[in-house]
């Protein structure tokens, strides 16, 4: 087997195979949305697992992201005497980009990995097979609550990251750039009050929240798809978990680029 | 009725089933024995549609299992119960919830009926008082009994057992064997049991088949197997020693 064929057989074919399965699972999950009422309890459980348990990390990281953006950009602006506009830059950067991006990376590392590990363990211990044998719809019973739970929680967490990030930026504006906090908040409000043409809500905010909704869905589907195809015992589950995080992060970055182009240009 | 006709199955270059054929009439119990890796569990998975044969026919109640649509297979599986070798209980559900799961998910039974059915089967396998325990809190033997109870709770017409006595003490093995036998004789359940235990085979089987390297090398009434003159069967049973 020549090297090109070998790469195709070992890397490209499994990657395409997994991508195809992920797309199929995404479509199937959307078709199962009618099952939401009977999965309400599980949905709340996964919203809690994905949201409430991740919220402290999102708040902590979001606050520091806001401070980092304000510090780096603010110092440059102050060279030209433009530090007054730091509120606008922090607000737009957090709402459009950093809020959804940072939140999604945290969700990929924590929730996608746990979904892949949980379902992967069930798969290698034949629990998934047992559900199939009992005619239990695995998509409805296991996948739908996880995917929908994370998809709904991602924008809420992003909103929290945006808010604390802007607050962190305010701390830097006051302590490092010697700006007035009320003035900073005024600029933030100005920046976020631009209403979009298509949807009558603040455009930067809704673009970021829409991104996070899509990222949340992609992360959850990736985690579930990886777990449901795990094989080979504990080592296989470990590899599945790694692959879920890796694929989620790549997906977030690629989707972020294309959605950014679509929403802001 | 369960029938296999000249079933072949390979995984890569490894041939696992090599022309297996047998018939289990309704209400009868077939026991399959054989060394590890002889294709017993793979054959069982063909019966419930988890694997498709490379060649040959797998018929359950006259339906060709590999040709069923997903919906038809799901319908057929509701008539069947499967006891997994390692129980395969859902680890975040307690004993009661594990047993109630197939009823809650696949039937429209009300809560009182589900509770009554679960209680009845719990009593049958001797698990009263363990309802609230999680799989990680009970022994392997108890997990096995919960797995059996979960397979029974839907009142299936066909039961497939993958090593039902593995991990059980002799007393509990004998009790489980009696339960399996009674299901055949009293309720007319058709069953296929994969086991390494000759005691289990003698207790529950109407017919006994011995597999070796993907082939069925012996089939007869269980009590006759000890007198059979097939050398490979004697070796497997430990009757003939080199």
């Amino acid at each position: 087997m020549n090297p090109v064929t070998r790469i195709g057989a070992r890397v490209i074919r499994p990657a395409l195979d997994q991508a195809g399965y992920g797309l199929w699972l995404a479509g199937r999950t959307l078709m199962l949305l009618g099952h939401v009422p009977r999965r309400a309890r599980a949905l709340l459980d996964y919203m809690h697992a994905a949201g409430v348990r991740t919220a402290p990390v999102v708040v902590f990281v979001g606050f520091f992201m806001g401070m980092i953006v304000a510090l780096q950009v603010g110092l440059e602006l102050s060279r030209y005497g433009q530090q007054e506009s730091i509120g606008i830059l922090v607000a737009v950067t957090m709402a459009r980009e950093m809020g959804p991006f940072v939140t999604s990376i945290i969700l990929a590392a924590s929730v996608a990995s746990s979904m892949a590990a949980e379902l992967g363990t069930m798969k290698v211990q034949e629990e998934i097979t047992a559900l199939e044998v009992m005619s239990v719809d695995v998509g409805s019973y296991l996948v739908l609550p996880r995917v929908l739970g994370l998809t709904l929680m991602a924008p809420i967490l992003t909103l929290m990251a945006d808010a604390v990030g802007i607050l962190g930026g305010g701390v830097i504006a006051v302590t490092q750039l010697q700006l007035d906090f009320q003035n900073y908040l005024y600029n933030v409000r100005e920046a976020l009050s631009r209403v979009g043409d298509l949807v009558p809500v603040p455009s930067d905010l809704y673009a970021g929240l829409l991104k996070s909704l899509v990222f949340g869905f992609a992360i959850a589907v990736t985690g579930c798809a990886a777990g449901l195809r795990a094989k080979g015992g504990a080592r296989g589950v470990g590899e599945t978990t790694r692959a879920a995080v890796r694929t989620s992060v790549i997906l977030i970055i690629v989707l972020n680029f294309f959605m950014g182009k679509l929403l802001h240009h | 009725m369960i029938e296999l006709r000249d079933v072949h199955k390979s995984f890569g270059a490894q041939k696992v089933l090599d022309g297996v054929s047998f018939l289990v009439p309704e209400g009868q119990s077939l026991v399959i024995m054989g060394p590890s890796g002889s294709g017993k569990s793979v054959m069982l998975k063909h019966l419930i549609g988890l694997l498709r044969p490379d060649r040959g026919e797998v018929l359950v109640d006259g339906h060709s299992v590999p040709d069923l649509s997903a919906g038809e297979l799901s319908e057929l599986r509701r008539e069947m119960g499967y006891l997994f070798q390692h129980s395969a209980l859902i680890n975040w559900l307690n004993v009661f919830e594990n047993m109630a799961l197939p009823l809650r998910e696949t039937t429209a039974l009300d809560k009182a009926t589900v509770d009554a059915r679960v209680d009845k089967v719990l009593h049958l396998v001797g698990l009263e008082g363990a309802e609230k325990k999680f799989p990680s809190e009970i022994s392997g033997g108890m997990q096995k009994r919960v797995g059996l109870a979960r397979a029974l709770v839907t009142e299936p017409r066909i039961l497939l057992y993958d090593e039902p006595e593995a991990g059980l003490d002799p007393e509990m093995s004998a009790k489980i064997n009696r339960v399996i036998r009674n299901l055949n004789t009293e309720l007319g359940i058709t069953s296929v049991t994969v086991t390494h235990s000759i005691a289990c085979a003698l207790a529950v089987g109407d017919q006994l088949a011995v597999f070796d390297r993907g082939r069925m090398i012996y089939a007869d009434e269980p009590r006759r197997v000890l007198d059979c003159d097939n050398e490979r069967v004697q070796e497997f049973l430990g009757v003939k020693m080199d």
Side-chain angles (χ1 to χ4, degrees):
Chain A
M1 199 186 281
N2 69 50
V4 175
T5 312
R6 199 177 301 144
I7 290 169
R10 290 194 182 168
V11 180
I12 298 173
R13 188 186 291 171
L16 287 175
D17 186 42
Q18 188 64 20
Y21 180 69
L23 283 172
W24 175 83
L25 193 65
R28 168 121 175 81
T29 306
L30 291 174
M31 287 171 70
L32 288 169
L33 284 176
H35 290 211
V36 169
R38 60 187 290 224
R39 302 295 174 206
R41 174 69 198 271
L43 178 62
L44 289 174
D45 283 348
Y46 286 109
M47 285 177 77
H48 178 263
V52 178
R53 289 185 201 161
T54 320
V57 184
V58 170
V59 167
F60 185 78
V61 174
F63 188 75
F64 271 85
M65 280 316 299
M67 289 204 296
I68 290 167
V69 170
L71 191 63
Q72 296 301 329
V73 180
L75 289 176
E76 284 302 308
L77 288 175
S78 63
R79 283 194 197 183
Y80 307 101
Q82 297 292 316
Q83 64 269 36
E84 290 285 332
S85 51
I86 189 66
I88 298 170
L89 284 165
V90 169
V92 170
T93 307
M94 285 306 299
R96 272 192 192 183
E97 204 58 54
M98 297 314 292
F101 183 72
V102 166
T103 305
S104 303
I105 295 293
I106 292 168
L107 289 174
S110 55
V111 185
S113 58
S114 80
M115 284 180 184
E118 194 177 12
L119 296 185
T121 305
M122 289 184 75
K123 176 74 176 172
V124 301
Q125 291 182 347
E126 290 193 307
E127 291 171 39
I128 304 276
T129 309
L131 290 173
E132 288 171 5
V133 163
M134 290 187 285
S135 292
V136 175
D137 186 337
V138 171
S140 172
Y141 185 67
L142 294 177
V143 179
L144 179 67
R146 285 171 170 80
V147 171
L148 196 58
L150 186 58
T151 306
L152 294 175
M153 283 314 292
I156 296 170
L157 290 167
T158 298
L159 212 52
M160 290 167 70
D162 290 349
V164 294
I166 289 167
L167 195 65
V171 170
I172 294 298
V174 172
T175 60
Q176 304 293 311
L177 304 173
Q178 282 74 47
L179 297 174
D180 175 53
F181 190 66
Q182 292 302 324
N183 195 30
Y184 172 82
L185 280 184
Y186 175 80
N187 282 334
V188 167
R189 273 198 300 271
E190 281 294 302
L192 294 181
S193 60
R194 282 196 295 268
V195 174
D197 298 331
L198 288 175
V199 189
V201 291
S203 59
D204 288 315
L205 207 56
Y206 89 74
L209 297 181
L210 187 63
K211 271 185 186 177
S212 64
L213 196 80
V214 174
F215 294 166
F217 182 76
I219 294 165
V221 169
T222 303
C224 290
L228 290 175
R229 301 191 102 194
K231 52 188 173 188
R235 181 179 278 189
V237 175
E239 176 50 40
T240 291
T241 308
R242 247 191 322 273
V245 176
R246 192 172 56 218
T247 310
S248 297
V249 171
I250 293 170
L251 263 178
I252 291 164
I253 291 169
V254 173
L255 285 171
N256 197 11
F257 171 76
F258 286 107
M259 288 193 72
K261 262 190 93 63
L262 195 73
L263 293 166
H264 302 300
H265 296 277
Chain B
M1 189 177 74
I2 296 170
E3 188 174 8
L4 258 69
R5 291 181 191 156
D6 192 30
V7 169
H8 294 254
K9 181 71 181 177
S10 298
F11 294 115
Q14 189 191 359
K15 202 161 188 69
V16 183
L17 295 178
D18 189 7
V20 172
S21 301
F22 62 71
L23 173 74
V24 189
E26 195 155 342
Q28 294 281 297
S29 167
L30 171 70
V31 175
I32 295 176
M33 298 183 75
S36 298
S38 58
K40 308 181 298 292
S41 294
V42 168
M43 181 279 302
L44 217 52
K45 285 178 177 166
H46 277 78
L47 296 180
I48 202 147
L50 290 172
L51 291 172
R52 296 171 66 88
D54 298 334
R55 187 149 55 91
E57 289 182 86
V58 180
L59 301 164
V60 174
D61 282 347
H63 302 289
S64 173
V65 178
D67 297 327
L68 294 177
S69 66
E72 290 168 337
L73 184 60
S74 186
E75 282 298 313
L76 181 67
R77 282 173 173 169
R78 285 177 198 175
E79 302 288 321
M80 302 170 82
Y82 192 109
L83 174 60
F84 285 82
Q85 195 171 344
H86 301 293
S87 307
L89 303 178
I90 307 302
N91 60 65
W92 69 76
L93 300 180
N94 65 29
V95 166
F96 184 94
E97 290 165 337
N98 259 289
M99 292 170 62
L101 180 67
L103 296 176
R104 288 173 176 168
E105 287 291 320
T106 65
T107 70
L109 295 174
D110 59 52
K111 186 179 178 302
T113 313
V114 170
D115 291 357
R117 279 235 210 147
V118 171
D119 284 343
K120 182 180 153 193
V121 181
L122 268 171
H123 178 73
L124 189 71
V125 297
L127 278 170
E128 304 96 323
E131 297 93 329
K132 300 282 181 204
K133 291 190 169 145
F134 285 88
S136 59
E137 298 170 342
I138 58 178
S139 67
M142 285 174 82
Q143 287 181 20
K144 198 81 180 197
R145 282 186 278 157
V146 178
L148 176 61
R150 188 178 65 181
L152 296 177
V153 80
T154 54
E155 299 179 354
R157 290 187 301 105
I158 296 169
L159 273 162
L160 309 175
Y161 306 97
D162 197 354
E163 303 204 22
E165 81 298 338
L168 299 179
D169 59 63
E171 186 185 4
M172 189 48 66
S173 291
K175 183 172 179 182
I176 292 297
N177 288 341
R178 274 198 300 278
V179 170
I180 293 173
R181 191 59 189 156
N182 288 344
L183 290 166
N184 282 115
T185 54
E186 291 172 17
L187 301 177
I189 286 174
T190 312
S191 68
V192 177
T193 307
V194 164
T195 182
H196 284 113
S197 159
I198 187 67
C200 173
L202 292 169
V204 308
D206 295 309
Q207 288 286 312
L208 170 67
V210 179
F211 277 36
D212 186 35
R213 279 172 276 188
R215 287 171 172 265
M216 201 165 81
I217 58 170
Y218 174 85
D220 205 338
E221 287 180 36
R223 61 188 169 80
R224 290 190 184 157
V225 73
L226 295 171
D227 303 323
C228 97
D229 54 7
N230 184 312
E231 282 194 21
R232 188 69 193 98
V233 173
Q234 289 181 335
E235 278 173 12
F236 169 68
L237 295 174
V239 176
K240 180 187 174 185
M241 308 292 277
D242 288 330

